[in-house]
Amino acid sequence: MLNVIIVDDEEFARSSLYFLLQENCENVNICGIAKSVDEATELLKNFDVDLIFLDIAMPGKNGFELIPEAKNNNAQVVFTTAFDQYALKAIKANALDYLLKPIDIDELRETVDKASKMIRYSGQETDKKERLKNLSSALNDGTEIRKLSLPNGQGYTLIELNEIIRIEADSNYSVFHLDKRDKITVSRVLKDYEELLPDDQFVRIHKSSIVNLNYLKEYNSRNGLEVVLKNGEKIAVSRRRASIFAEKVKSYTSFTSDK
């Protein structure tokens, strides 16, 4: 049996993975569920954990910050991530795995089977620590994100980054304004997406706005500092962000013109 913990700040993600494992993986014993890295650290102190299903983007500490504790406890890590990025291929190359939300049942079974085989491998302790070290390095190298998976209450909506026109803050929520789609409201603060999205394409121009430079039409100071998007929307640029925004636009337009 594999002793497993699930670490994810989203209730839907935690419960759905729990039931998928219960229904499809007979050799799994779920010994704990955590909403944060700190809660997961406590579980690792109290249980002999073989496998951690670990979300990446969480408020406070992100999933990467649990890697040292995983190494110290000789636990394998499978990231359950809401976005796709090229570095995830490196995870597979290092014999660890990831599951892109929404989680596919066949991929989940394959991952659990892989973990079981790795635990039986005679050289697992040294080998596992090296893989976790490589994983942590690979996932922090700033590789490009291509997709986002946005929780919608009953599941997830997958979107391409180039579909995002802008993201608007609404209290503790973020509203995604999309090209040729209805807007989507997500229960995460804007700062989470500011940190996640590539900053050469997505720029925070105001405390309540992130814009995709692909949709930028004009930038002027006729009515105070503002941007005009290709769909005709006009959005204010805060004065303290104006110079950074101007530099990002300059860099972005130079880069795209060279393509």
Side-chain angles (χ1 to χ4, degrees), residues 135-193:
L135 170 63
S136 181
S137 173
L139 285 174
N140 278 293
D141 69 355
T143 29
E144 183 182 355
I145 301 164
R146 294 174 293 171
K147 292 182 181 179
L148 278 179
S149 184
L150 304 178
N152 59 26
Q154 281 102 37
Y156 297 88
T157 302
L158 271 72
I159 64 169
E160 300 282 344
L161 292 197
N162 286 335
E163 293 183 76
I164 303 170
I165 298 173
R166 66 184 179 95
I167 312 171
E168 173 190 7
D170 183 5
S171 186
N172 290 324
Y173 294 84
S174 295
V175 183
F176 283 74
H177 296 256
L178 305 171
D179 184 32
K180 300 175 183 176
R181 283 213 217 190
D182 292 337
K183 63 185 179 182
I184 298 174
T185 300
V186 179
S187 58
R188 284 190 181 278
V189 295
L190 198 64
K191 189 176 187 298
D192 289 347
Y193 293 105

Side-chain angles (χ1 to χ4, degrees), residues 233-250:
E233 289 184 288
K234 297 179 180 179
I235 306 168
V237 180
S238 70
R239 289 196 175 275
R240 76 181 185 88
R241 297 179 187 270
S243 60
I244 295 174
F245 172 70
E247 285 300 316
K248 290 281 181 72
V249 172
K250 181 179 178 181

Side-chain angles (χ1 to χ4, degrees), residues 208-227:
S208 60
S209 297
I210 293 174
V211 297
N212 182 347
L213 294 179
N214 279 346
Y215 292 91
L216 181 65
K217 179 181 179 181
E218 186 179 337
Y219 171 46
N220 64 64
S221 57
R222 286 194 295 270
N223 299 304
L225 299 170
E226 70 176 12
V227 297

Side-chain angles (χ1 to χ4, degrees), residues 8 14 19 26 45 54 58 84 96 99 107 116 128 138 175 180 191 197 216 230 254-255:
D8 200 305
R14 294 192 301 271
F19 287 114
E26 295 179 354
K45 291 177 181 176
L54 178 61
M58 294 183 285
D84 187 16
L96 287 170
L99 297 170
E107 290 181 0
S116 297
K128 189 190 303 178
V175 183
K180 300 175 183 176
K191 189 176 187 298
L197 293 167
L216 181 65
K230 290 179 181 178
S254 297
F255 173 74

Side-chain angles (χ1 to χ4, degrees), residues 66-75 77 125 128-130 132-133 136:
L66 190 64
I67 292 287
E69 292 297 330
K71 290 200 299 183
N72 291 338
N73 288 271
N74 294 317
V77 172
E125 299 305 323
K128 189 190 303 178
K129 288 181 181 180
E130 186 62 28
L132 282 167
K133 179 181 176 182
S136 181

Side-chain angles (χ1 to χ4, degrees), residues 134 172 205:
N134 292 342
N172 290 324
I205 61 172

